């Protein structure tokens, strides 16, 4: 039977270029997608861009471009970055594509006919740059609680979505489905929010006269769709919903949304309600990860400390960046990005542990056996090999898979590094040069063969994290020969 895996990143706003925050979710999703592909799952990995709304319109106007010209200009920046980071997405959706607009309009029309959308008058405080409405209670001194710029009082006729009617259903759903929102702390946050607040119906349109850059409501062309209502639907429009039944039936509702913690409510409250209203099950799981800050500071354009992934990979390499993001901080927690921490991981885990193991083992294979890969004879392994190494080789795949199924990237890497560490220790304790001196050729063969078997599984299991390194290792270890190349991770001089 086919197993299906559908994983998504948020679709990114295009009024800036990709930064470490975007790269983080995308690399995490790529790692999971690659691991699932290795396991024979039918995988659909979706990313894309969120192109409507005030901010994009403004950014385009500042450059003297139409919004679509502006978007067309920026998209290659995203696609190139993902290519450079070895991101293997299956689909890249843009909210300006016809396939997306069709699905959004289907949602709107369905909800309208059902009576879940009604025309009302919106009066509220609005922050233009953030595109967010605030309540009187939230606003102090007439300033936006987020960006601290002045808000405006707006009064206009708009369509409202009766989300209040779904609050009890959602609360029960989240209570009954402990795996829907992950990690636990975020689940509690959503439950707390739903228990303590009464949901207000959501204003899901904007008058075209105020904001022209959006998807028109099919039943009222004078209005365009609120960006969040538009954006969330990308996860279904990419499947060709409702026209393409086969894709939808394969990949829904197994879908997993990876998101940052700041957009949890949209994904765990608004989105399941939108789906429920059109008669679709919620996705399987929403995982909200933490935020990266840079040194002591929050990352922000105004502080000028935004980390561009392309600069990091130019300086240190792609795989170390991918490795660092997934190894340094438990997925779900906030983290601190610094070059010093990255160099420490590079010199320690990568150069000392992994790089050394491969280099030493291949050096020995060349020295003792002229590059031939000796046959492994499990029955006559020495004690360390039998007790400490072979069981780890046999268990590694299950351990990595189990950890990744829980989004525990660190536990997966720990399982791999446990074997690497044991193998390095094996070399130190066995003292192969003595075996050679004593003419214990059979023992020496088995020792090298076991190390190579270990490196082979390591290469396979690290592939989702460090695809390039995995390939480099595989190219040095053929079926029956090794061809040593230069060290995988030449140490970085800290001075
Ligand atoms: N367009 C919306 C998402 C719509 S999804 C239907 C959006 N875009 S965004 O470009 O502003 O942000 C995308 C993601 O980047 C969010 O998940 C956010 O959490 C993440 N990050 C932005 N800055 C970040 C860090 N400094 N660290 C980690 N992730 C951060 O929101």
């Amino acid at each position: 039977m086919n197993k299906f895996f559908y994983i998504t990143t948020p679709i990114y706003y295009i009024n800036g270029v990709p930064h470490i925050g975007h790269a983080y979710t995308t690399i995490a999703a790529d790692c999971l997608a690659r691991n699932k592909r290795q396991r024979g799952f039918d995988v659909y990995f979706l990313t894309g861009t969120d192109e409507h709304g005030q901010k994009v319109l403004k950014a385009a106007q500042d450059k003297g471009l139409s919004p679509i010209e502006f978007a067309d200009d920026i998209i290659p920046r995203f696609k190139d970055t993902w290519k450079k980071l070895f991101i293997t997405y299956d689909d890249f959706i843009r909210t300006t594509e016809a396939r997306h607009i069709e699905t959004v309009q289907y949602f709107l029309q369905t909800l309208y006919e059902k009576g879940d959308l009604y025309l009302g008058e919106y009066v509220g405080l609005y922050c233009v740059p953030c595109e967010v409405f605030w309540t009187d209670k939230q606003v102090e001194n007439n300033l936006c609680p987020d960006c601290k710029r002045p808000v405006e009082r707006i009064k206009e006729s708009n369509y409202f979505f009766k989300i209040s009617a779904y609050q009890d259903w959602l609360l029960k759903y989240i209570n009954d489905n402990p795996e829907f929102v992950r990690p636990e702390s975020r689940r509690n946050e959503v439950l707390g929010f739903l228990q303590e607040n009464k949901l207000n119906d959501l204003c899901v349109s904007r008058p075209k006269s105020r904001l022209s850059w959006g998807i028109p409501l099919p039943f009222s062309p004078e209005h365009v769709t609120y960006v969040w209502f538009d954006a969330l639907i990308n996860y279904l429009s990419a499947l060709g919903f409702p026209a393409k039944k086969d894709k939808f039936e394969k990949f829904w509702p197994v879908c997993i949304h990876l998101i940052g913690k700041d957009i949890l409510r949209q994904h765990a409250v608004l989105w399941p309600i939108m789906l429920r209203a059109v008669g679709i099950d919620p996705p399987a799981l929403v995982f909200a990860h933490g935020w990266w800050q840079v040194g002591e500071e929050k990352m922000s354009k105004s502080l000028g400390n935004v980390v561009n992934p392309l600069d990091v990979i130019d300086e240190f390499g792609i795989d170390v960046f991918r490795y660092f993001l997934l190894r340094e901080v438990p997925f779900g927690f906030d983290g601190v990005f610094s070059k010093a921490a990255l160099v420490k991981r590079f010199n320690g885990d990568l150069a000392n542990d992994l790089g050394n193991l491969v280099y030493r083992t291949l050096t020995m294979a060349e020295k003792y056996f002229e590059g031939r890969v000796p046959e492994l004879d499990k029955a006559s392994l020495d004690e360390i090999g039998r007790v400490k190494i072979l069981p780890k080789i046999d268990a590694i795949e299950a351990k990595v898979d189990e950890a990744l199924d829980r989004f525990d990237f660190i536990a997966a890497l720990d399982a791999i590094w446990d074997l690497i560490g044991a193998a390095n220790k094996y070399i130190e304790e066995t003292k192969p040069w003595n075996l050679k001196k004593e003419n214990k050729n059979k023992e020496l063969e088995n020792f090298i063969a076991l190390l190579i078997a270990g490196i082979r599984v390591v290469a396979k299991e690290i592939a989702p994290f460090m695809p390039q390194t995995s390939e480099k290792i595989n190219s040095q270890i053929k079926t029956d020969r090794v061809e040593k190349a230069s060290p995988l991770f030449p140490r970085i001089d800290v001075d």
Side-chain angles (χ1 to χ4, degrees):
M1 205 188 70
N2 265 347
K3 298 173 289 182
F4 299 103
F5 184 71
Y6 179 24
I7 188 138
T8 68
T9 73
I11 47 171
Y12 303 113
Y13 287 132
I14 54 170
N15 50 326
V17 295
H19 58 59
I20 186 176
H22 305 131
Y24 185 43
T25 332
T26 312
I27 288 170
D30 185 60
C31 178
L32 297 174
R34 284 173 180 266
N35 169 266
K36 290 292 198 290
R37 284 193 202 106
Q38 279 187 186
R39 293 156 66 182
F41 280 73
D42 191 344
V43 170
Y44 204 69
F45 167 17
L46 174 72
T47 189
T49 42
D50 193 351
E51 305 185 11
H52 290 121
Q54 191 77 47
K55 277 188 258 184
V56 173
L57 184 62
K58 173 115 190 5
Q61 283 164 347
D62 290 349
K63 280 194 142 186
L65 296 172
S66 71
I68 193 69
E69 283 170 338
F70 174 82
D72 288 346
D73 247 21
I74 275 278
I75 300 312
R77 299 284 289 270
F78 279 87
K79 290 191 169 169
D80 285 352
T81 301
W82 301 153
K83 199 167 166 194
K84 290 198 173 116
L85 291 171
F86 285 100
I87 302 301
T88 54
Y89 59 78
D90 296 294
D91 195 356
F92 188 105
I93 187 140
R94 301 180 50 180
T95 55
T96 46
E97 285 175 73
R99 59 172 172 160
H100 176 70
I101 294 168
E102 278 163 26
T103 310
V104 171
Q105 293 192 329
Y106 169 86
F107 260 74
L108 291 162
Q109 189 65 38
T110 308
L111 294 188
Y112 183 61
E113 285 168 16
K114 224 184 136 208
D116 271 353
L117 294 186
Y118 62 90
L119 195 60
E121 176 149 284
Y122 188 83
V123 189
L125 296 169
Y126 188 69
C127 174
V128 179
C130 294
E131 270 182 67
V132 172
F133 284 106
W134 300 102
T135 61
D136 285 341
K137 254 205 264 164
Q138 290 168 311
V139 170
E140 269 178 50
N141 303 326
N142 211 43
L143 297 178
C144 166
D146 264 359
C147 74
K148 311 287 177 219
R149 283 174 282 203
V151 292
E152 290 170 28
R153 190 165 292 277
I154 289 186
K155 187 172 173 184
E156 55 193 27
S157 114
N158 268 315
Y159 283 86
F160 287 78
F161 175 27
K162 277 190 194 164
I163 60 173
S164 54
Y166 294 91
Q167 179 157 3
D168 294 342
W169 166 77
L170 183 62
L171 190 56
K172 180 165 179 352
Y173 185 83
I174 296 178
N175 267 317
D176 291 349
N177 293 274
E179 290 299 306
F180 175 53
V181 182
R182 297 279 88 198
E184 193 64 16
S185 55
R186 299 293 164 206
R187 174 173 189 261
N188 292 335
E189 184 184 315
V190 176
L191 280 174
F193 170 73
L194 287 171
Q195 278 152 356
E196 283 154 33
N197 297 278
K198 220 179 123 17
L199 290 180
N200 293 320
D201 287 350
L202 181 73
C203 180
V204 294
S205 72
R206 302 291 181 261
K208 213 169 178 172
S209 52
R210 171 162 71 76
L211 174 63
S212 58
W213 184 232
I215 300 178
L217 305 193
F219 46 85
S220 173
E222 288 316 299
H223 288 98
V224 300
T225 314
Y226 166 50
V227 271
W228 266 104
F229 190 94
D230 161 350
L232 288 161
I233 293 171
N234 89 87
Y235 303 129
L236 278 181
S237 52
L239 297 181
F241 177 84
K244 290 189 192 149
K245 291 257 177 319
D246 52 331
K247 237 179 165 185
F248 173 73
E249 276 161 15
K250 277 197 309 197
F251 296 112
W252 202 272
V254 297
C255 178
I256 291 174
H257 298 314
L258 296 190
I259 57 167
K261 61 181 184 180
D262 55 317
I263 55 176
L264 176 62
R265 236 179 250 176
Q266 288 89 340
H267 283 81
V269 177
L270 174 57
W271 180 225
I273 289 180
M274 285 167 65
L275 290 163
R276 173 80 179 172
V278 292
I280 301 172
D281 285 338
L285 195 151
V286 175
F287 194 108
H289 64 64
W291 269 47
W292 287 92
Q293 58 175 49
V294 178
E296 301 289 298
E297 316 260 21
K298 197 175 162 182
M299 192 173 74
S300 81
K301 264 192 207 163
S302 51
L303 287 171
N305 63 353
V306 175
V307 178
N308 180 336
L310 298 183
D311 297 341
V312 182
I313 67 174
D314 276 351
E315 197 172 346
F316 300 99
I318 298 151
D319 278 7
V320 59
F321 181 59
R322 292 178 60 115
Y323 176 79
F324 178 81
L325 293 183
L326 298 176
R327 177 64 189 80
E328 188 71 4
V329 174
F331 205 53
F333 286 73
D334 292 339
V336 177
F337 182 87
S338 78
K339 284 188 183 177
L342 190 136
V343 169
K344 202 163 164 219
R345 289 274 168 209
F346 186 103
N347 283 341
D349 307 1
L350 301 182
N352 260 358
D353 300 343
L354 174 59
N356 239 343
L357 172 65
V358 174
Y359 198 77
R360 287 156 103 185
T361 303
L362 300 197
T363 303
M364 290 188 285
E366 287 185 343
K367 185 166 161 197
Y368 300 135
F369 305 113
E370 286 147 356
R372 179 173 58 82
V373 175
E375 195 91 23
L376 177 64
D377 176 10
K378 287 187 190 173
S380 49
L381 278 173
D382 60 14
E383 194 187 335
I384 303 181
R386 200 179 62 244
V387 177
K388 301 230 168 106
I389 308 295
L390 191 59
K392 289 197 201 304
I393 294 180
D394 290 342
I396 194 171
E397 185 179 319
K399 278 194 184 161
V400 169
D401 293 350
E402 182 272 332
L404 290 183
D405 286 346
R406 293 184 288 111
F407 307 91
D408 192 341
F409 297 98
I410 294 183
L413 289 167
D414 278 347
I416 303 171
W417 256 257
D418 189 34
L419 172 58
I420 295 173
N424 274 323
K425 208 161 160 222
Y426 187 33
I427 300 179
E428 279 135 38
E429 287 174 358
T430 307
K431 303 194 177 61
W433 44 95
N434 286 342
L435 294 179
K436 182 72 191 166
K437 246 188 271 164
E438 294 160 21
N439 263 333
K440 292 186 171 159
N441 215 39
K442 182 84 183 102
E443 280 91 335
L444 192 57
E445 282 203 340
N446 230 5
F447 165 75
I448 300 287
L450 188 63
L451 288 174
I452 288 180
I455 293 172
R456 281 203 172 111
V457 293
V458 165
K460 177 170 175 240
E461 296 305 323
I462 60 166
F465 296 86
M466 297 193 282
Q468 215 181 20
T469 305
S470 172
E471 246 175 58
K472 276 191 199 162
I473 297 175
N474 285 332
S475 74
Q476 296 182 42
I477 305 182
K478 307 275 163 29
T479 323
D480 51 7
R481 288 205 58 75
V482 303
E483 275 162 36
K484 189 177 61 153
S486 50
L488 293 168
F489 300 99
R491 281 183 69 85
I492 296 172
D493 206 333
V494 186
D495 302 327

